[in-house]
Amino acid sequence: MEHDLLSDLTPAQREAVTHFEGPLLILAGAGSGKTRVITRRVAYLLSQGVRPSNILAITFTNKAAGEMRQRIEALVPGSRVWISTFHALGARLLRQYADRLNLDPNFTIYDQTDRARLVKMAMEDAGVDNGRFTPETVQSAISKAKNQLLGPERYAAKAHDFYGQTVAQIYPAYEKRLRDANALDFDDLLYWPALALKHDPELRSELDARFRFVLIDEYQDTNQAQYAIARGLTVDHPNLCVVGDPDQSIYGWRGSDIRNILDFERDFPQSRVLTLNRNYRSTRAILHAASALIAHNRHRKPKDLVTDNPEGAPVTVLTFENGTDEAVGIAQRIKRVVEENPARHYRDFAVFMRINALSRSLETAFVKHRIPFQIVKGLAFFERKENRDILAYLRLLLNPRDDISFLRIVNEPTRGIGKISLEHLKAYAAPREMSLLEATSEIQRITMIKGKAASGLRDFNLLMRELRGYVESTPDEVIRQVLELSGYRQMLKDSREEEDQERLANIEELITAAKQYASEDSSRTISDFLENITLASDVDGWDERQDCVSIMTLHAAKGLEFPVVYMIAVEQGILPHERSLPREDQLEEERRLAFVGMTRAKEELYLSHARMRDFRGNTLYAISSMFLDELPRDAIQSLDLSASAAGTLSAMEQWRTGGGEAASHGWAEAGVGSRPAPIPPTRRSDGTDKDYAEGMIVRHERYGEGRVIEVGGHGALRKVKIRFRTAGERTFLVEKAQLEIVKRG
């Protein structure tokens, strides 16, 4: 068996697989076969007599965990190694050791929507009523605090400005709301285990002995809490194998710390470091361009990606007149290739974007041209109102203290329970420290609630009691009973609204989803089903089997690959994002994000930008991304498809000849003749024209003094690039630039 595990591996991969005890850092470049290495390593450990129960493999998405599980099962049938995401691991440990942590094991895991509602309540509890603070910003601050292992008291001690001190008032109120509801948020699934490993030596020692070999994928994306879990599990048995690539660290905005992987050798001085730099995915042209881009980052571990793949077509930079033309042009191009090339299918294509807001024009264009597509954005099916209602029933069934779920469904279907009656119920429950569901059992004592509302609340209490008798049934059977006994299915059946018939189909599909989930493992319960949905990531909603174009954010694209990739809106302020421009560390993360997108492409890569873009309600001149300027000239070809290039006819001629493809649809369908008129130039306030030249010293109101290093373009699109002393390089449209010339070179 051992020979079979190693026979098709490169020497570097073989070393990574056969390393036995001691810390191991595997620097796995993009497309270097890291999943193969991890799964073979697990199989190798098993072949050396390590028990499955002593191995823990952690990755970042349910999809990746599922793929890893299937591969290991194929290599070692029936091994049942624990393979999990960090959050699923946390949830399982917290339920298993709930008594040690003073937790009720039936806790609910609140998703982002419920969390925002709870933060809003906590803001009211804390008396914070200020337009400067939204539930979303407060939620983000609390999330960041938990990822840094800061509880309410430690956070308050570090809060020195007005914003921090205000959040410090809300944080304990939010935590009390969570405890009262027997609920945890996403961050608690890491925060609680990390603190338990730190403060409970007995528990830490027990888990360390249990998991003698720990493997962590995508280590470059771990935050402080995940780092603490990894360290806590590997004190007595430091057999920690981490796999990652600093060049693909793209989650700093949600707390990940690239230093975790960069400092691994400092944390584990006895560690062995292996580099996997042979790429099996992309053409040489794509790798050459991506490698040249990422080389501009300073905080990395340099490595040269090599491949035996063919050179392939150059990376193509497409220029469009506006965002609408960009979407239509890409849609037409994909459709034409699929129709003319029998070897190409819609599933071969992916379109990546920096922000979700850019999907609207793509959706419009793909619908118009009848191109099948799927937008990869979480499990949107479970976000539909009717499904959220049924899931709330299930959550309340498992956790009677879940007041958020109670308020969602107590009058769904309608039971004659109004807002005022619910306020009376809350007023009765709060001083008695009762949940709202518990309070309904004493409805006869709440004299302010009368008539239909009183009977409705009493009936709801009896309904939940009856449903509790089905909680041990299979997940699909539990959902069937909820639909029948609550009257929810009948409500939709009786409706004459077409939308309600679609909702009926959706809740029926919910039963199917639960049945399929349970069929994979007969031991799975309704609690497991709920947890699986709650912990799903964006890519878990992606179905690679469908023959359709995949549209997703660059973050969601991590870990995937496609024969043909289009990256849209590669423009300054979008990619890189405007928030990153003043800070080098954030700008480097944006460059890593672009690198991740580029290295998803196997055969063809297109980077597109527009001269104008409708964005946030305004039509703006767009400046091509600084990242395009960092690509090697010998690895790219440019195709200007804008009317501004040299007249509409010239643009159409370029389209027809670009990439050797025939443009059967042409620009007529793309609406070239109906483009909006160019935006009239804005005159500077001093009314004078200034000719900028390289070497000039200029002053900007925000960035201070800088030197002009490049001037290019013509007319309304003339640009000037300036290197500022404190803010790095910035590019401006000359007609928009508010610059004062200090010295003329």
Side-chain angles (χ1 to χ4, degrees), residues 666-684:
W667 272 102
E669 192 174 354
V672 170
S674 58
R675 282 195 181 83
I679 305 170
T682 303
R683 308 302 298 179
R684 285 184 300 276

Side-chain angles (χ1 to χ4, degrees), residues 130 229 360 413 518 530 632 641 726:
N130 189 314
I229 292 170
R360 183 185 57 81
L530 274 178
L641 303 167
T726 57

